[in-house]
Amino acid sequence: MERTFIAVKPDGVQRGLCGEIIKRFETRGYKLVAAKFVQASEEHMKNHYLDLKDMPFYAGLCKYMSSGPILAMVWEGESIVKMSRMMLGETNPADSKPGSIRGDLCINIGRNIIHGSDTLENAKKEVALWFKAEEFVTYASCAQPWLYE
Ligand code: IDP
Ligand code: MG
């Protein structure tokens, strides 16, 4: 099973979209294994988005991401890294198909409401950056045998 880091960004939280976003992951069948509601520091966001440090929007992005609370989560499931990126849609909501989270719920690239890890390698890095080992909850999902053959 793969794990990925998903976060409702400050705009998603302010717009009251946490429930809608959790619902999409829950109803698809993914398993929530860690979650916390936090306001990240600008330093933490600079670290999270280090790969984008040379982009012109980097400073503004880190400021926006630390401007309010974030719902940080780790979800688990088969091929979840790739599948969750499909659920998110494209980085630019304008390129995101209806039915995707960004395609249904937001308009502007700088306010695209949700983060999701883009590769398995980055998912591992991001999960470790946001969560300590003791913040994970180990439990059996009763739906598991009905989701996987
Ligand atoms: P992703 O979130 O779809 O993985 P990335 O390219 O990793 O997209 O960019 C990270 C975040 O940076 C985006 O989700 C968005 O919030 C912001 N961003 C990306 N491109 C732009 C831009 O051209 N203008 C403003 N913000 C941007
Ligand atoms: Mg990215």
Side-chain angles (χ1 to χ4, degrees):
M1 285 295 166
E2 284 180 15
R3 286 179 170 185
T4 196
F5 175 65
I6 299 291
V8 182
K9 296 179 174 183
D11 48 336
V13 171
Q14 291 292 344
R15 292 183 48 219
L17 296 172
C18 290
E20 171 67 26
I21 287 168
I22 290 172
K23 181 173 150 251
R24 290 186 180 221
F25 284 85
E26 269 187 336
T27 52
R28 184 142 194 201
Y30 294 126
K31 183 182 177 187
L32 185 62
V33 292
K36 60 184 170 187
F37 191 54
V38 287
Q39 181 156 4
S41 67
E42 213 168 318
E43 279 316 298
H44 184 82
M45 291 319 310
K46 281 183 183 164
N47 202 358
H48 172 87
Y49 281 126
L50 203 58
D51 290 354
L52 300 174
K53 67 178 186 324
D54 298 326
M55 302 304 276
F57 56 84
Y58 178 66
L61 170 64
C62 296
K63 205 164 186 188
Y64 141 63
M65 288 295 292
S66 56
S67 68
I70 282 177
L71 180 63
M73 300 174 280
V74 180
W75 287 86
E76 186 181 274
E78 193 173 84
S79 307
I80 193 170
V81 176
K82 182 176 171 218
M83 302 312 283
S84 59
R85 288 290 298 197
M86 290 173 71
M87 289 167 71
L88 260 62
E90 302 300 322
T91 302
N92 190 345
D95 298 327
S96 302
K97 292 205 172 73
S100 67
I101 292 169
R102 287 168 175 164
D104 285 347
L105 304 173
C106 56
I107 297 167
N108 181 263
I109 192 167
R111 295 291 181 270
N112 63 2
I113 71 166
I114 183 167
H115 170 81
S117 310
D118 60 349
T119 62
L120 191 54
E121 193 192 343
N122 283 338
K124 285 180 182 157
K125 269 195 227 163
E126 291 173 3
V127 165
L129 179 68
W130 287 82
F131 288 91
K132 300 187 195 102
E134 61 266 29
E135 291 177 303
F136 291 88
V137 182
T138 304
Y139 65 105
S141 156
C142 64
Q144 212 262 357
W146 301 102
L147 287 162
Y148 299 101
E149 191 177 28

